Amino acid sequence: MRATLRISIAGLTIVSGLMLSVSGCSKTKPDQAPPAASDSSSEEKTSRKFETGRQVLEAMAAAYHRAKTYSDQGTVRQIIQSGEQKVDIKKPFQVDFVRPDKLRLKAYEATVVVDEKKLSARIEDLPGQVLSKPVPGELRRKDVYSDLVLYSAVVNTFAGPPPQVDLLLDPKPLSVLLQRAEEPVLTEPGTIDGRACYRVKVRYLEAGPATFWIDQETLILRRVNMPTLGLRTAMMQELGGEVDSISLIADFTDARFDAEIPPETFQFVVPAQAEVERHLLPAEAFLLGKKVPDFRFVDLEGYPVTPQKLSGKVAVLDFWATWCGPCKLNMPNLQRVYERYRDSGKVAFYAVSLDQPDVTNEKLADTLRQWKVQVPVLRDPDQTAVDFHFTGIPTQFLIGPDGVVQDLEEGVNPELAATLPEKIEKLLAGENLYPENLKKFQEISRRFEKMVLGQSERQTEEQSAPPVQSAPPSQPQTFRRTLRWKCPDVKVPGNILVLPQPNGPPRLAVAEGAAGAIAEVGADGKLLATHPITLDPKQELIANLRTAADAKGNRWIAAFASGYQRCFLLDKDWKQVLAYPPDALEHRHAGIADVALADLDGDGTPEMYVGYWGVVGVQAVTLEGKRLWTNRSLNNVASLAVGPPDAEGKRNLICTDGSGSLVSLDAEGQRVAEASVPDYPLSCLVGAELDGAVQWCGWSIPRPDKTAALGLTLTGKELWHYDLPPGLPTKPVDKIVPGRLSPAGSGVWIVPGPDGSIHFLAADGKPIDRFNYGAAIQGLATVEIDGRIVLAVAADDLEAWTIEK
């Protein structure tokens, strides 16, 4: 499954990018009040005075937790005006709930019912599928959103998930509600259809202000005026111009506590002929293994192309449009494959345009000529493309000679010219592709469910991995190690960087977590300098280091510790120039997971990229501290790696997200590719040039009793795997380190085991050697000194060992 760079074609309903669990819109205009609800709550009414906004929100949360039942007729509405263009969308936002485990949620196109320890759900635009899964124990918020497709239908929408679910089911709803927000402010009260309401204003750091209307008598949430900064930016890109006005409001009409709710409210009827599934499939993936929809397209001469015309051929249908930037990037890849099969009578290629009817055939043909693409063009005058149920372009369907949908590609695939011919050849040989493709979708859904239910790879590591003790020291078998020096002046050494010097031997930069500093150590093991970092020693430390040089050769160093609030940037003179995020100690997040310094846009100046645990995602920051972009579509971004340059010198940032997948972002922060390795959810990825080419090595805990390093491609193909001692490292060490064992030899992977072992693997994964160091490893590096390879190890002490055959 590839979640890639593509353009939404779902009208103007787009994801706002706001990661607020209270997102919502109104069925009324911003200056109108919704009808009042005649509240029949049996809960204790309140008229006490509150002094702060936080007190009001805490009292509201407590009221929802006390409630035995809750019901409303909620709706969401967004109204956007841009010149003569207007977007006006209203959707259901409705919740019925009986504690502890009965729920009916109607949000957007989704209906979710929980009853009798079973969750059932359907989505209107996914006909033919019904979700059914058990809900063991007390109902929790994450049970409701544990299916990937359902999550996308309810959470990744223009207004986000209904806040009632959080308030009713999350034990600490304010920790989510106030994430990345300033302190709530109690403002002047207001009224909604005669009901007096507290008004609490919350300013979110990235999204802007929101206002919560809370009934003064019952403490029920009546309305939320949502922040609109992210939505405004997204709509400006979608509409291609300024946005004149925008409102994003949630109204909870007829909301009440402890009213009787009829039992039939929680009945769920499975539609006739629907398939009941443990995991929903996206609509386009649901076509895999089924006959292609009965489309009718026409070529530029007006001749029809139908499934019957393609019978007996392998067919490639690529959906595109003249205005689609990602399509322009992908078409040359398709052209290369088309040229290979152009004269084959067994394979048909078509570029199916989704442009409006007022776009002429000449415009279509001229656009492809400019893109140097000769793939035959089709149009869709009868709009039969909707039966393919895809939501963005470019999207490509591969159809077998028997008319069965075998494969689909979503977005830009840089390796399409290599991967598509392999698929075509298999189909020509009579093989089926769809079983394996369905398995990939199901595997991604399974991983997502584990992540949401608290079994993400990071949580699995922390909660389930066995405790590890250091193994007794041992010696390598194929080479000899001789102690070269020990540096007692570096206390509690951590991550090690090798810093080449223009005149003289390289130096080592060593994180000193306890001192909050970076030690600079010479090739002889002498401490040359200690460079302190300005941090709060009660709340911060450093354990990991990253480095990159600009076009002038100036070196930059980033220092951080996974799980802590800020990272620190130092220039070539070891001067601290940045602590980021600057306000993180006041507005805390779930913690930084990884940092990368890289020049993705190829302008000669690196930027700093920060991946976060939790829901913040990935941020790009200039060396001066200016935030360039945030991509919140990822969570639990465990590691960051930098891809190879393309023909223009640009690179991608490859992120390991909470599902164990690899997600590639371009220099603008847009998703351009996604891949996963079957059976090996990744929590770390490292790339390095070994054997004259860039190789990739990942680290995974596929189950609590198994830990592995593996070689892979960026498309998710496993090349090899190597089993490590099971468990988690007890120290914050880099899990994979590229290095060398001889000055003229090939590069190797050096992998520290959680038991203090050190493993040396060839580029192809073949074991070279291993030995037990006798203590938990905190840093590793190899460096050439005086024509010999030296292995620097940070454990209880900082030591260096000469490596010889």
Side-chain angles (χ1 to χ4, degrees), residues 2-18:
R2 183 185 300 275
T4 61
L5 176 60
R6 53 183 180 155
I7 299 295
S8 169
I9 59 171
L12 294 175
T13 304
I14 62 174
V15 177
S16 68
L18 309 181

Side-chain angles (χ1 to χ4, degrees), residues 488-725:
D489 295 325
V490 178
K491 309 299 182 183
V492 193
N495 193 204
I496 303 171
L497 286 181
V498 178
L499 304 179
Q501 302 297 310
N503 300 304
R507 298 178 179 182
L508 302 180
V510 185
E512 271 197 289
I518 300 176
E520 190 177 2
V521 179
D524 57 359
K526 300 292 180 61
L527 178 64
L528 302 177
T530 298
H531 305 286
I533 292 176
T534 303
L535 48 72
D536 184 340
K538 295 182 180 179
Q539 304 185 66
E540 299 177 294
L541 58 82
I542 62 168
N544 303 90
L545 304 176
R546 303 288 184 262
T547 187
D550 60 25
K552 297 179 180 179
N554 298 317
R555 185 160 295 279
W556 301 81
I557 293 178
F560 69 100
S562 179
Y564 287 80
Q565 294 296 302
R566 297 191 296 176
C567 57
F568 307 92
L569 183 66
L570 290 79
D571 65 12
K572 63 182 179 63
D573 299 317
W574 299 96
K575 177 183 177 182
Q576 182 176 327
V577 298
L578 190 62
Y580 184 86
D583 58 350
L585 297 185
E586 294 78 29
H587 305 286
R588 302 179 72 84
H589 48 78
I592 290 172
D594 199 7
V595 174
L597 293 171
D599 178 18
L600 298 188
D601 55 13
D603 65 355
T605 301
E607 283 76 37
M608 184 166 68
Y609 299 90
V610 184
Y612 293 84
W613 298 117
V615 299
V616 178
V618 181
Q619 294 178 340
V621 187
T622 68
L623 299 179
E624 295 74 34
K626 178 183 178 182
R627 185 180 303 160
L628 298 174
W629 49 258
T630 300
N631 187 312
R632 290 180 174 270
S633 69
L634 296 87
N635 55 45
N636 290 320
V637 184
S639 78
L640 302 174
V642 181
D646 62 15
E648 298 178 353
K650 296 183 178 181
R651 302 172 183 263
N652 290 334
L653 185 70
I654 304 163
C655 313
T656 306
D657 75 353
S659 67
S661 299
L662 301 178
V663 179
S664 296
L665 306 180
D666 65 12
E668 287 73 44
Q670 300 297 315
R671 296 173 76 123
V672 295
E674 180 172 347
S676 60
V677 182
D679 302 323
Y680 286 97
L682 298 172
S683 57
C684 178
L685 178 74
V686 173
E689 186 171 320
L690 307 179
D691 283 344
V694 176
Q695 309 281 343
W696 297 96
C697 185
W699 192 93
S700 175
I701 295 185
R703 59 178 189 263
D705 62 343
K706 182 180 176 66
T707 303
L710 63 149
L712 65 148
T713 69
L714 295 184
T715 58
K717 180 180 179 181
E718 178 192 337
L719 302 178
W720 53 265
H721 74 267
Y722 174 85
D723 289 340
L724 294 160

Side-chain angles (χ1 to χ4, degrees), residues 49 132 160 222 265 271 282 330 336 551 645 718 729 779:
K49 301 295 183 181
S132 180
R222 298 289 180 192
T265 301
N330 205 51
R336 291 171 60 187
E718 178 192 337

Side-chain angles (χ1 to χ4, degrees), residues 21 23 66 104 212 334 338 448 450 486 527 593 631 748:
S21 64
S23 302
R66 287 193 304 267
R104 185 178 186 88
F212 299 87
L334 182 64
Y338 169 70
F448 181 85
K450 288 181 63 178
K486 180 182 292 188
L527 178 64
N631 187 312
V748 299

Side-chain angles (χ1 to χ4, degrees), residues 330-494:
N330 205 51
M331 275 292 185
N333 300 322
L334 182 64
Q335 173 66 22
R336 291 171 60 187
V337 185
Y338 169 70
E339 290 173 355
R340 176 172 173 175
Y341 293 96
R342 183 202 307 260
D343 299 326
S344 171
K346 299 180 180 180
V347 185
F349 287 77
Y350 292 105
V352 186
S353 168
L354 299 183
D355 286 279
Q356 295 297 316
D358 59 356
V359 177
T360 65
N361 289 348
E362 289 74 17
K363 170 68 174 176
L364 298 181
D366 185 60
T367 298
L368 290 187
R369 276 195 297 270
Q370 293 178 23
W371 296 355
K372 299 181 180 179
V373 172
Q374 300 169 335
V375 178
V377 179
L378 299 180
R379 305 201 69 160
D380 183 26
D382 299 332
Q383 297 187 341
T384 54
V386 298
D387 295 329
F388 286 81
H389 297 292
F390 54 89
T391 58
I393 52 176
T395 293
Q396 182 183 105
F397 288 87
L398 183 60
I399 303 163
D402 56 356
V404 171
V405 178
Q406 296 281 347
D407 186 49
L408 68 95
E409 284 275 356
E410 302 171 281
V412 177
N413 179 3
E415 299 186 18
L416 183 70
T419 59
L420 182 55
E422 293 178 357
K423 297 173 183 177
I424 291 174
E425 291 300 324
K426 288 182 179 179
L427 292 178
L428 291 174
E431 297 183 35
N432 281 320
L433 305 178
Y434 72 84
E436 186 64 27
N437 289 322
L438 281 172
K439 182 180 177 181
K440 291 179 181 178
F441 277 97
Q442 292 161 353
E443 174 66 14
I444 291 172
S445 296
R446 184 188 65 82
R447 291 183 186 175
F448 181 85
E449 181 180 63
K450 288 181 63 178
M451 177 190 72
V452 172
L453 293 178
Q455 296 296 322
S456 68
E457 295 314 316
R458 179 177 182 243
Q459 291 167 321
T460 299
E461 294 169 4
E462 293 175 347
Q463 298 171 5
S464 305
V468 178
Q469 295 182 347
S470 296
S474 64
Q475 296 298 322
Q477 301 299 311
T478 62
F479 59 84
R480 183 174 71 256
R481 63 183 178 109
T482 305
L483 182 64
R484 188 180 183 95
W485 51 255
K486 180 182 292 188
C487 184
D489 295 325
V490 178
K491 309 299 182 183
V492 193

